């Protein structure tokens, strides 16, 4: 039953589904029997699975991607659409721990991951609003500001690239918030409409010959004595020479080895109803993406058509339902941008990502089964990149080499039996964020 309080928060057309699905709803599965034999079977049809499928199909392999749900059900169509070079290990930390050449190698690959999205969108002509309009990283405390400046100066010295440190006043011109004492503007980062990006990948992979089947949960993978694998789904079994598991935050008990290594956590987003152009120009006058300089990031952006504010926070907190979480996020957004008060929500939704214990993304092969994931918030570029790398590893090509491949992949003790762990991890990081932002 809706109350007056609800009416003040939720617009009349409020939806508990991602804003992105208005333009690109997930494809409902048709009941289909998976093919009896393929060269490569992919489990999961998100950004990772589809990038791999496209690469493999173009290389002449027969490919099926099997997804447990609708095609486009996963995080790939639920995210903020930020395309960055984000690694949870700063350049400065890598220099300190592994030396300059290693840090350079890692961050060159972060650039390659960013470029992989730009290149995919360009060469496949995917109309997903890919736009390089820069990112503003916001800081609340002087020490965060100084740390950010040191980090980006070091990157600039070793990798090139531009950035500008912004004063409190300059930040105020970018976002109508008095919370921030400054920030770093990185001009060459981008944003997309993730629903349309996924839809484009789906169309191109299918056109290249890959079979994409939704509603087909892979319940078991059986290794065959003579080589290859059987993938069992309720609709039938597919025999494949190679298997790639691309299930990231939605990883279930299919491969216990993998389940012990991925910490799944829920992320939450809201979209406001359209703003009057004059108000939007006052609150967020540009198409930049905004995040704050902490682990549990707040992200704020305009919708690609420039009419709504999209907001993400409270990652890893307990599921309380789309309405309760949406109302909480709206209050958070008002604390950051007070003039948002009075706006209503059109959408509130959630999606699942995965952290790893070492905070590195991984592409790996275990018992002959390939895997890519564990992107720690950065799966738009990393899923694109490592999906392609995984495909090249399957093809046996040297293009599959990457710093994210075959590094040790530590497990997390008791993970599958402790669903609280993700929340505990994020609570710890939130506490540290608060401390740093004093
Ligand atoms: C709210 C939110 C905001 C985010 N913002 C950003 C951002 O701005 N920028 C960024 O870079 N990253 C962001 N991310 C992370 C990014 O979206 C993910 O890392 C990325 O989409 C992962 O893609 P994927 O293809 O590996 O997995 P997913 O897209 O999650 O797909 C996995 C698929 O596996 C399927 N599956 C699971 N088990 C089985 C099984 N047994 N059989 C068959 N299928 C199975 C699921 O149904 C699912 O469709 C965000 C994530 C969320 C949730």
């Amino acid at each position: 039953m809706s109350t007056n309080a609800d009416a003040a928060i939720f617009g009349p057309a409020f939806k508990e589904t991602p804003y992105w699905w208005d333009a690109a709803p997930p494809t409902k599965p048709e009941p289909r029997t998976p093919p009896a034999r393929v060269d490569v079977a992919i489990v999961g049809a998100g950004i990772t699975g589809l990038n791999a499928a496209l690469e493999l199909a173009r290389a002449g392999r027969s490919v099926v991607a099997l997804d447990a749900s609708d095609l486009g059900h996963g995080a790939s169509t639920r995210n903020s659409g930020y395309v960055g070079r984000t690694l949870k290990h700063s350049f400065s930390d890598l220099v300190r721990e592994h030396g300059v050449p290693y840090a350079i190698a890692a961050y060159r690959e972060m650039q390659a991951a960013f470029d992989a999205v730009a290149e995919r969108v360009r060469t496949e002509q995917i109309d997903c609003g890919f736009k390089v309009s820069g990112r503003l990283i916001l800081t609340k405390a002087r020490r965060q500001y100084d740390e950010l400046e040191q980090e980006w100066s070091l990157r600039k010295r070793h990798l090139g690239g531009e950035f500008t440190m912004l004063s409190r006043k300059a930040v105020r011109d970018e976002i109508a918030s008095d919370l921030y004492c400054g920030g770093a503007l990185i001009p060459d980062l981008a944003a997309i409409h993730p629903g349309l990006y996924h839809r484009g990948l789906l169309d191109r992979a299918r056109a290249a010959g890959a079979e994409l089947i939704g509603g087909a949960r892979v319940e078991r993978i059986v290794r065959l004595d003579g080589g290859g694998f059987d993938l069992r789904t309720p609709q039938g079994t597919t025999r494949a020479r190679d298997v790639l598991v691309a299930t990231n935050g939605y990883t279930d008990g299919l491969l216990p080895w993998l389940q012990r290594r991925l910490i799944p956590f829920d992320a939450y987003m809201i979209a406001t109803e359209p703003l009057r152009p004059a108000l939007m120009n006052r609150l967020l006058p540009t198409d930049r993406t905004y995040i704050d300089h902490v682990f549990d990031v707040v992200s704020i952006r305009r919708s690609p058509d420039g009419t709504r504010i999209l907001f993400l926070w409270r990652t890893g907190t307990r599921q309380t339902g789309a309405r309760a979480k949406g109302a909480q996020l709206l209050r958070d957004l008002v604390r950051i941008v007070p003039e948002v008060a009075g706006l209503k929500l059109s959408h509130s939704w959630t999606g699942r990502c995965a952290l790893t214990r070492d905070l590195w993304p991984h592409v790996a092969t275990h018992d002959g089964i390939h895997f890519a994931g564990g992107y720690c918030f950065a799966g738009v570029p990393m899923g694109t990149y490592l999906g392609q790398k995984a495909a090249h590893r399957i093809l046996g090509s040297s293009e599959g080499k990457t710093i994210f491949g075959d590094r040790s992949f530590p497990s997390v003790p008791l993970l599958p039996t402790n669903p609280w762990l993700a929340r505990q991890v994020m609570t710890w990081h939130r506490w540290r964020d608060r401390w740093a932002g004093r």
Side-chain angles (χ1 to χ4, degrees), residues 143-196:
R143 98 189 75 186
Q144 286 179 320
Y145 181 92
D146 293 343
E147 182 190 283
L148 195 60
E149 185 168 26
Q150 279 162 19
E151 164 72 11
W152 282 88
S153 301
L154 196 65
R155 285 196 207 184
K156 185 173 175 179
R157 175 146 30 105
H158 292 290
L159 298 160
E162 287 308 318
F163 74 99
T164 310
M165 293 307 292
L166 299 190
S167 65
R168 180 185 289 276
K169 185 177 169 308
V171 163
R172 192 65 179 72
D173 292 340
E174 292 266 347
I175 175 169
S177 175
D178 292 321
L179 269 190
Y180 302 106
C181 70
L185 177 60
I186 320 300
D188 60 344
L189 297 183
I192 53 164
H193 184 305
L196 294 175

Side-chain angles (χ1 to χ4, degrees), residues 84-250:
R85 292 182 289 258
T86 309
L87 185 63
K88 282 292 176 196
H89 299 270
S90 69
F91 189 81
S92 319
D93 284 349
L94 291 185
V95 166
R96 226 176 358 259
E97 288 160 23
H98 303 282
V100 170
Y102 189 88
I104 290 176
Y107 270 79
R108 286 229 168 104
E109 286 213 43
M110 297 315 294
Q111 179 64 45
F114 176 93
D115 294 342
V117 180
E119 193 60 12
R120 241 333 166 223
V121 170
R122 192 181 61 79
T123 55
E124 303 298 332
Q125 299 186 352
I126 298 176
D127 188 4
C128 61
F130 179 90
K131 193 166 177 189
V132 179
S133 36
R135 180 178 300 180
L136 180 54
I137 308 172
L138 300 156
T139 59
K140 284 192 188 136
R142 185 72 215 184
R143 98 189 75 186
Q144 286 179 320
Y145 181 92
D146 293 343
E147 182 190 283
L148 195 60
E149 185 168 26
Q150 279 162 19
E151 164 72 11
W152 282 88
S153 301
L154 196 65
R155 285 196 207 184
K156 185 173 175 179
R157 175 146 30 105
H158 292 290
L159 298 160
E162 287 308 318
F163 74 99
T164 310
M165 293 307 292
L166 299 190
S167 65
R168 180 185 289 276
K169 185 177 169 308
V171 163
R172 192 65 179 72
D173 292 340
E174 292 266 347
I175 175 169
S177 175
D178 292 321
L179 269 190
Y180 302 106
C181 70
L185 177 60
I186 320 300
D188 60 344
L189 297 183
I192 53 164
H193 184 305
L196 294 175
Y197 179 52
H198 183 269
R199 173 65 60 83
L201 290 172
L202 207 68
D203 292 345
R204 302 310 182 270
R206 200 172 262 145
E211 263 204 79
L212 312 174
I213 304 182
R217 177 176 296 280
V218 178
E219 294 177 333
R220 259 190 93 192
I221 302 177
V222 181
R223 172 193 277 280
L224 304 172
D225 287 342
F229 302 87
D230 272 353
L231 287 85
R232 299 202 180 140
T233 76
Q235 290 80 358
T237 296
T238 291
R239 182 157 294 185
R241 202 168 55 218
D242 292 293
V243 176
L244 167 64
V245 175
T247 50
N248 199 47
Y250 294 83

